[in-house]
Amino acid sequence: MTERPLTAMIDPAAGPPDCAAYGRSGGWRAVRAALRDMTPDAVIDVVTRSTLRGRGGAGFGTGQKWSFVPKEPAATRRKYLIANADEMEPGTFKDRLLMEGNPLQLIEGMIVAGYAIQAGHGVIFLRGEYHLALERLTRAIADARATGWLGADILGSGFGFDIHVHSSGGRYICGEETALLTALEGKRAQPRSKPPFPQVGGLWGAPSVVNNVETLCNVPHIVANGAEWFRALGLGPDGGTKLYGVSGRVRRPGTWELPMGTPLREIIEQHAGGMRDGYALRALLPGGASTAFLDAGQLDVAMEYGAVEKAGSRLGTGQAILLDDRTCPIGMLQNLEHFFAQESCGWCTPCRDGLPWVERLLAAIEDGTGEAEDLDRLADHARLLGPMGRTFCAHAPGAMAPLASGLRLFRADFEAHIHQRGCPLRQAA
């Protein structure tokens, strides 16, 4: 039977466990092991050896990220650990499941991670629309304080740690870690220049680590069970399990915890139940809206970092958005680029001015006023905005991923829109 450590205690009917029930089911083992038997460096070492990579989209090595934090004791320099729970990537809903279903798992992961980097303060930066998650996190944090799992001198170890929940004002750019930190400081959410990197100069100038919710939820299981155990859960070079999701015209849209490296075909056909009657899969975005399209002939790709990159896209959040044969790909792209244009922070010119231009070009093509030259203009934007380093952060390159791949895969659809002066699917309806 496949182990599913992240979702083992999630029971929608019963609700999230309290501290006592969490402990009876195996919770708090990692906190006890870390604070009683391990040094902070030993915690970082086991997480590094586990091959855990960031589950929010970037895929950076978690232990390596922690190792960049200066080694001074917490008493001599304040440090912060931030859980990025601002889950605004279109088509993504994995962190919501974890926070609503078992918030204490995230809290335990934050305590252990805080100990590893010697941070005394934790912040959960929560998407503003996640009202149920806010309620359950707040209750779980209060329960953990009352039972001694949060606060000063946890388990008599001399290490103290507490957590505050910050409900976001609701901007996609806060998924970028430095924009998140700027927003926490009460300023306009804009990315910062690097260096300094957050691990050296982050929240209010203090060393700070920002990790995704799913990433932090893996930490207790790694510390409690070991790096080798975690690596063995994956089917390929990347260890652990992953919360994979599917949205679109499938029979059972949702999210499932599966071994890292599970093939796309299994996720879509077995777990999501395949396409609904009367619909055929045409293409998909494998890891949220800011990843490149894969076509229906690439379903045998393993959903792990290297394999998806080799196929021409990114694993991203692992939450796939499916395009069927009765949905207009140009309309889908217009919808995506509208989202990216309105979510630009406005800091750099290519993103602030380029993304609205892309949206207007796509709207003209969809509405029947586009010209053949517009395809060249769209290709120019994809070429100029797509590579990393040409804009202040990864927002514009992420927006160009579906556009560049869409121009390649759906060229005939673009041309039909232009020649027929509108969307053929709408005209046939």
Side-chain angles (χ1 to χ4, degrees), residues 384-410:
L384 294 171
L385 273 66
M388 291 291 292
R390 295 187 177 179
T391 54
F392 207 68
C393 75
H395 181 77
M400 292 300 99
L403 177 65
S405 54
L407 286 168
R408 185 182 72 253
L409 289 176
F410 311 127

Side-chain angles (χ1 to χ4, degrees), residues 268-307:
I268 294 171
E269 296 183 357
Q270 179 177 330
H271 300 283
M275 301 300 292
R276 296 181 198 170
D277 293 340
Y279 296 93
L281 176 64
R282 187 169 181 192
L284 62 102
L285 301 168
S290 59
T291 57
F293 279 102
L294 299 179
D295 65 37
Q298 295 177 283
L299 292 188
D300 293 317
V301 65
M303 284 288 278
E304 51 92 7
Y305 299 98

Side-chain angles (χ1 to χ4, degrees), residues 224-250:
N225 298 295
E228 293 74 17
W229 167 85
F230 186 80
R231 288 201 305 269
L233 295 178
L235 301 178
D238 298 315
T241 59
K242 179 79 184 75
L243 289 180
Y244 295 112
V246 174
S247 58
R249 288 192 169 102
V250 290

Side-chain angles (χ1 to χ4, degrees), residues 1-44:
M1 179 179 176
T2 301
E3 290 190 72
R4 294 183 172 86
L6 294 175
T7 56
M9 293 192 210
I10 295 180
D11 182 350
D18 60 15
C19 283
Y22 182 71
R24 289 193 298 270
S25 299
W28 308 123
R29 287 193 302 144
V31 172
R32 290 191 181 97
L35 270 58
R36 290 175 173 171
D37 304 323
M38 302 173 73
T39 64
D41 284 346
V43 176
I44 294 175

Side-chain angles (χ1 to χ4, degrees), residues 346-411:
W347 181 246
C348 60
T349 303
C351 184
R352 180 187 64 241
D353 297 339
L355 295 184
W357 194 3
V358 167
E359 182 195 354
R360 288 194 296 270
L361 289 170
L362 290 169
I365 294 171
E366 177 71 1
D367 293 340
T369 58
E371 303 294 340
E373 294 79 7
D374 290 341
L375 300 184
D376 296 329
R377 296 188 183 99
L378 288 171
D380 285 343
H381 278 80
R383 175 175 56 86
L384 294 171
L385 273 66
M388 291 291 292
R390 295 187 177 179
T391 54
F392 207 68
C393 75
H395 181 77
M400 292 300 99
L403 177 65
S405 54
L407 286 168
R408 185 182 72 253
L409 289 176
F410 311 127
R411 184 79 184 190

